[in-house]
Every structure is written in structure tokens, then in C-alpha cells.
């Protein structure tokens, strides 16, 4: 039997010893330097704020309109402010006993009356009817498009569907109710000229809501000729008397459908005839101009031109014709 040579085993062992010795003598590996601590990253810049739209023209118009004119003759008390300055209204205010029912300055008296149940509100405290009464305004002064009514008690906004619904939050008539809140501010749209149209001429519908005719910020109404442009040059308008009568009458003096009186403007020396109303108050009978919102298309000339009229106008029929003289009676 042959024996395995021992030489190969010796050589392999020697090589292993040399490898181990070489590894032990090799320099140690240099450790990698530690990672530097993370540098603080600056926060991103704040987003650019959306600029608030320029409402200055609207604010100026609102500040100068009739809703925001303070006057001691305009109900400067915590009762009348329900409409005149809602944020000054006190729901617990009440009508005081006569003769000082309301804190107010009446035109025929020199001193202002001070009532028990509705204290005086000074001009410095007066808020009026600012933008936020009719629009949602955020803390940055941004006005949300659209309209809404600010409830002065809860200070929450109430949704409204149109400008008339908004206006009637104050323009209401509450006389005769159980709470004694006697105000008569409702403006009634009536007559046949604009309402209840089954159809209309042209592409623009007739006005139906308050803001269709009234600028909601200046409160200035449109004039009839703004829509009825051809009236002033028509040869058939006013039964053919257009050129003669146009500067002597307002449109509503003829087209009023509410039955108001018609005559020269009260308290003025001349001017176009207007609709007016006479009432009896503390100072006696007073005739005042009243702007009618009830409009009729057909007019009747004998509304003013009737027999023995106080203005000595020529007598006319409803159609504007001179009536036939009565037939003379004959004796048999």
C-alpha cells in the first residue's frame, strides 16, 4: 500500500502560517470620519398674502348715502336703530310713555325729546349701515361676493335670495302688532307697468327687485329715461303734448298707480309736479313728496284735469280730449 507524501501537507501548513502572520502585521484600517451634524434648514418664506381688493369707492359711496347720515331728527335712539343703525339696537328698548315716546328731535320743536325706554345714541357711537350689514366681511376686510344680512342680535349672517329680501329686513311695516313696534317703512311695488309681466319687449326683463333700479351703495335710483330712452323725443307721448308738458311733470305724476295726490312740489317755488301725500301730525296737516313705486302704463288725464280742480287746469277727459259741452236743454 502506498503512503501519501507528507510534503504537500507541510507546504500548505507553512503557507497558512505566513498568511496569518502577514494579516497580523498589516496596519489597522482607517475608520471613516463621522458624518457632520445636519445643518438647520431655514423655514420656507410665508406665502404671499392675497391682496385685499380695493373697496374704497364702494366704502365712500356707502358712507355718503342716506342710510349713513346721522341726525338728531333721524331716530338717534336704541329703538329706531333697529333699522337706522342695527349694531346700536337694543332688543330690550321700548316705546316710552307720551309725550316723550321716542328720543328724537322733532322738526316743529327746538329741544330734543328724551324717552324713558330708548336712550340717546351719540354720533360718536353711531354705526349706521356699513358694508358688513349686507355683505360677509372677514377679519382682513375681504368682502365675500354676494349679499347676506347681519343679524344685529346674534351677529350671525342670514342668507337672502335677492336684494328685495335684504332691503325688507328693515323696510317693513309692523304697525298693529302685539309688540307695539309701530313702523311703516315697507315699499310696495305695484301697478301693471313692471310687475306680473307674461312677456316683455326686448331682451331685458322689467325690474323686479330693489337693486334693479336703486344703486345698492349710493342708493340713487335710475330715472325712467334710463330705460325708456325714446320718451323724451316721442311725438305720441303725452297724447301729443310731449314738448309742452315734459318739463312740467315728473313721470310718476301721470304713471302712479297708488292713488297719491299730484301737485306742485311741496315747500318749493315751482318745479315739475310730483306725487305727494297730506297727513295730520302734531304740527297740523303737512303735505310731503312721496315717491311712488307703483307704476301703471295707461294714464288718465282727468286725474288732475277734472271739473273745478283747484289748479284751474283745463278740463280734459281721461283720454286727454276736451269734453263736448253739455247739450242745451230745450223747452217744449
Amino acid at each position: 500500500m502506498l503512503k501519501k507524501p507528507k510534503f504537500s501537507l507541510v507546504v500548505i501548513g507553512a503557507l497558512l502560517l505566513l498568511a496569518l502572520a502577514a494579516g497580523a502585521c498589516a496596519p489597522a484600517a482607517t475608520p471613516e470620519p463621522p458624518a457632520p451634524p445636519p445643518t438647520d434648514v431655514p423655514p420656507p418664506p410665508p406665502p404671499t398674502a392675497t391682496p385685499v381688493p380695493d373697496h374704497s369707492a364702494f366704502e365712500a359711496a356707502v358712507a355718503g348715502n342716506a342710510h349713513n347720515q346721522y341726525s338728531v331728527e333721524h331716530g338717534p335712539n336704541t329703538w329706531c336703530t333697529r333699522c337706522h343703525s342695527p349694531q346700536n339696537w337694543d332688543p330690550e328698548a321700548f316705546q316710552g310713555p307720551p309725550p316723550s315716546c321716542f328720543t328724537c328731535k322733532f322738526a316743529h320743536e327746538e329741544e330734543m325729546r328724551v324717552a324713558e325706554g330708548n336712550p340717546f345714541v351719540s354720533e360718536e357711537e353711531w354705526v349706521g349701515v356699513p358694508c358688513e350689514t349686507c355683505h360677509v366681511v372677514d377679519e382682513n376686510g375681504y368682502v365675500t361676493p354676494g349679499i347676506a344680512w347681519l343679524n344685529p342680535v346674534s351677529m350671525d349672517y342670514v342668507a337672502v335670495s335677492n336684494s328685495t329680501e335684504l332691503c325688507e329686513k328693515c323696510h317693513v311695516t309692523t304697525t298693529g302688532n302685539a309688540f307695539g313696534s309701530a313702523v311703516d317703512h315697507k315699499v310696495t311695488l305695484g301697478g301693471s307697468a313692471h310687475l306680473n309681466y307674461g312677456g316683455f319687449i326686448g331682451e331685458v326683463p322689467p325690474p323686479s327687485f330693489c337693486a334693479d333700479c336703486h344703486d345698492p351703495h349710493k342708493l340713487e335710483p335710475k330715472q325712467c329715461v334710463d330705460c325708456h330712452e325714446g320718451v323724451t323725443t316721442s311725438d305720441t307721448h303725452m297724447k301729443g303734448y310731449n314738448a309742452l308738458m315734459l318739463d312740467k311733470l315728473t313721470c310718476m305724476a301721470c304713471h302712479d298707480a297708488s292713488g297719491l295726490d299730484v301737485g306742485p312740489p311741496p315747500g318749493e317755488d315751482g318745479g315739475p309736479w310730483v306725487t305727494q301725500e297730506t297727513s295730520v301730525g302734531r304740527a297740523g296737516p303737512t303735505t310731503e313728496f312721496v315717491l311712488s313705486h307703483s307704476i301703471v302704463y295707461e294714464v288718465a288725464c282727468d286725474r288732475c284735469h277734472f271739473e273745478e280742480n283747484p289748479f284751474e287746469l283745463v278740463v280734459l277727459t281721461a283720454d286727454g280730449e276736451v269734453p263736448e259741452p253739455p247739450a242745451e236743454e230745450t223747452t217744449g
Side-chain angles (χ1 to χ4, degrees):
M1 180 176 183
L2 296 176
K3 294 183 180 180
K4 294 181 180 179
K6 295 182 181 179
F7 175 77
S8 57
L9 295 176
V10 174
V11 172
I12 292 172
L15 291 175
L16 288 175
L17 290 175
L18 288 174
L20 290 174
C25 297
T30 305
E32 294 184 2
T39 305
D40 292 337
V41 179
T48 304
T50 303
V52 176
D54 183 9
H55 301 307
S56 58
F58 296 113
E59 291 171 350
V62 169
N65 70 29
H67 286 163
N68 289 292
Q69 302 307 304
Y70 180 86
S71 171
V72 293
E73 298 178 353
H74 200 60
N77 59 69
T78 57
W79 168 278
C80 296
T81 49
R82 162 65 181 82
C83 294
H84 296 179
S85 182
Q87 295 184 50
N88 293 117
W89 177 50
D90 181 2
E92 297 184 1
F94 59 91
Q95 179 178 335
S100 297
C101 303
F102 298 103
T103 298
C104 195
K105 167 70 172 63
F106 295 96
H108 63 284
E109 296 179 342
E110 293 186 2
E111 298 294 331
M112 182 175 69
R113 296 190 184 194
V114 179
E116 175 184 336
N118 45 89
F120 174 69
V121 178
S122 67
E123 186 170 4
E124 292 74 21
E125 298 172 312
W126 187 267
V127 178
V129 185
C131 301
E132 62 265 24
T133 302
C134 304
H135 299 281
V136 177
V137 182
D138 68 15
E139 63 275 8
N140 297 318
Y142 181 80
V143 178
T144 303
I147 55 177
W149 177 64
L150 178 63
N151 185 314
V153 178
S154 66
M155 294 303 288
D156 294 323
Y157 281 97
V158 178
V160 294
S161 59
N162 55 64
S163 61
T164 298
E165 184 179 346
L166 175 62
C167 295
E168 288 184 345
K169 294 297 183 181
C170 291
H171 288 272
V172 293
T173 294
T174 60
T175 53
N177 65 31
F179 303 100
S181 54
V183 296
D184 186 7
H185 297 330
K186 185 176 177 64
V187 176
T188 301
L189 300 179
S192 60
H194 289 158
L195 298 182
N196 303 319
Y197 258 45
F200 49 87
I201 300 173
E203 298 180 356
V204 180
S208 301
F209 306 116
C210 298
D212 291 342
C213 289
H214 292 267
D215 182 290
H217 301 106
K218 295 180 180 179
L219 305 183
E220 295 175 353
K222 289 182 180 178
Q223 301 302 309
C224 299
V225 294
D226 292 337
C227 296
H228 302 277
E229 299 174 357
V231 167
T232 58
T233 57
S234 171
D235 293 332
T236 59
H237 185 243
M238 286 190 175
K239 315 294 184 182
Y241 294 105
N242 204 42
L244 178 65
M245 301 299 295
L246 199 60
D247 61 343
K248 294 181 173 62
L249 297 165
T250 61
C251 298
M252 293 308 299
C254 291
H255 290 275
D256 165 57
S258 64
L260 290 168
D261 296 330
V262 177
E268 298 183 20
D269 187 13
W273 283 26
V274 297
T275 47
Q276 53 192 248
E277 189 174 49
T278 300
S279 59
V280 179
R282 295 181 179 88
T286 303
T287 300
E288 297 179 311
F289 162 71
V290 177
L291 179 62
S292 173
H293 286 73
S294 298
I295 307 171
V296 66
Y297 179 77
E298 296 288 344
V299 302
C301 296
D302 59 355
R303 177 179 186 169
C304 298
H305 293 265
F306 54 87
E307 291 186 6
E308 299 181 1
N309 66 78
F311 304 107
E312 299 182 353
L313 302 173
V314 61
V315 177
L316 298 174
T317 66
D319 294 330
E321 305 293 337
V322 177
E324 294 289 339
E328 295 184 1
E329 295 183 3
T330 58
T331 56

